């Protein structure tokens, strides 16, 4: 495990496409303002508690948030181009707030606390859904 507890302030990183914070102790998604062309954000295996502050990365295509502490799916409307959303091994009980993700193809919700799978009808591009171990 690495020792980062927060996302670094990255300024002027217009060319940055992939950002990997995997395996740290980060509690919040933040400080993405300097990465406007980011398409891949990997925050797997951290301590993130909620999905937030994605407004600066509207071109994001892949969001990896597996093995965190997320209890609710929310605040994804700033990333309508999202293609892959990985939320496995979190604390999610309800599938919600995905209506803005018309281009989403892959949704991983394995290892959460789901008892029902609903609210997927608006995901017309979805081709892969993983809900194992719920």
């Amino acid at each position: 495990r690495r020792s980062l507890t927060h996302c670094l302030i990255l300024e002027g990183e217009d060319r940055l496409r992939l950002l990997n914070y995997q395996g740290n102790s980060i509690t919040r998604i933040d400080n993405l303002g300097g990465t406007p062309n980011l398409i891949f954000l990997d925050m797997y295996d951290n301590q993130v508690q909620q999905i937030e502050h994605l407004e600066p990365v509207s071109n994001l295509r892949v969001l990896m948030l597996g093995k965190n502490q997320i209890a609710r799916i929310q605040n994804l409307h700033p990333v309508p181009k999202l293609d892959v959303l990985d939320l496995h091994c979190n604390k999610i009980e309800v599938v919600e707030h995905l209506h803005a993700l018309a281009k989403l193809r892959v949704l991983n919700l394995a290892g959460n606390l789901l008892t029902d799978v609903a609210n997927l009808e608006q995901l017309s591009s979805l081709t892969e859904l993983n809900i194992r171990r719920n």
Side-chain angles (χ1 to χ4, degrees), residues 14 24 48 52 66 70 82 92 102 132:
D14 293 354
N24 281 286
V48 175
E52 60 185 342
I70 297 168
L82 205 62
I92 298 167
R132 288 181 294 187

Side-chain angles (χ1 to χ4, degrees), residues 1 10 16 18 29 47 57 67-68 78 88 112 119:
R1 181 165 288 282
L10 300 171
L16 192 66
L18 185 148
I29 300 171
Q47 302 296 317
V57 290
K67 290 190 75 178
N68 278 283
H88 82 280
N112 277 283
N119 304 317

Side-chain angles (χ1 to χ4, degrees), residues 76-82 97-103 122-123:
L76 289 167
H77 56 279
V79 288
K81 298 176 183 174
L82 205 62
H97 305 297
L98 294 173
H99 53 274
L101 304 180
K103 296 184 178 186
Q122 68 273 15
L123 300 177

Side-chain angles (χ1 to χ4, degrees), residues 5-37:
T5 57
H6 63 278
C7 296
L8 302 174
I9 297 173
L10 300 171
E11 295 181 10
E13 296 295 340
D14 293 354
R15 296 179 53 206
L16 192 66
R17 301 286 189 269
L18 185 148
L19 183 54
N20 187 341
Y21 280 121
Q22 191 177 91
N24 281 286
S25 299
I26 296 170
T27 57
R28 296 181 60 181
I29 300 171
D30 210 357
N31 297 326
L32 297 174
T35 60
N37 294 307

Side-chain angles (χ1 to χ4, degrees), residues 7-126:
C7 296
L8 302 174
I9 297 173
L10 300 171
E11 295 181 10
E13 296 295 340
D14 293 354
R15 296 179 53 206
L16 192 66
R17 301 286 189 269
L18 185 148
L19 183 54
N20 187 341
Y21 280 121
Q22 191 177 91
N24 281 286
S25 299
I26 296 170
T27 57
R28 296 181 60 181
I29 300 171
D30 210 357
N31 297 326
L32 297 174
T35 60
N37 294 307
L38 196 67
I39 58 171
F40 192 116
L41 178 58
D42 189 346
M43 296 192 72
Y44 172 82
D45 193 18
N46 275 280
Q47 302 296 317
V48 175
Q49 296 177 10
Q50 69 179 1
I51 302 168
E52 60 185 342
H53 303 127
L54 296 174
E55 292 81 3
V57 290
S58 60
N59 291 316
L60 200 65
R61 302 287 197 291
V62 178
L63 181 56
M64 308 297 282
L65 289 170
K67 290 190 75 178
N68 278 283
Q69 304 295 317
I70 297 168
R72 293 190 65 204
I73 300 172
Q74 60 187 1
N75 302 320
L76 289 167
H77 56 279
V79 288
K81 298 176 183 174
L82 205 62
D83 185 51
V84 176
L85 178 58
D86 185 349
L87 292 169
H88 82 280
C89 294
N90 276 283
K91 299 178 178 182
I92 298 167
E93 295 181 22
V94 177
V95 178
E96 60 187 342
H97 305 297
L98 294 173
H99 53 274
L101 304 180
K103 296 184 178 186
L104 191 68
R105 286 185 319 101
V106 178
L107 177 59
N108 187 354
L109 292 170
N112 277 283
L113 304 172
L114 299 174
T115 56
D116 184 31
V117 180
N119 304 317
L120 297 177
E121 54 277 348
Q122 68 273 15
L123 300 177
S124 58
S125 299
L126 195 66

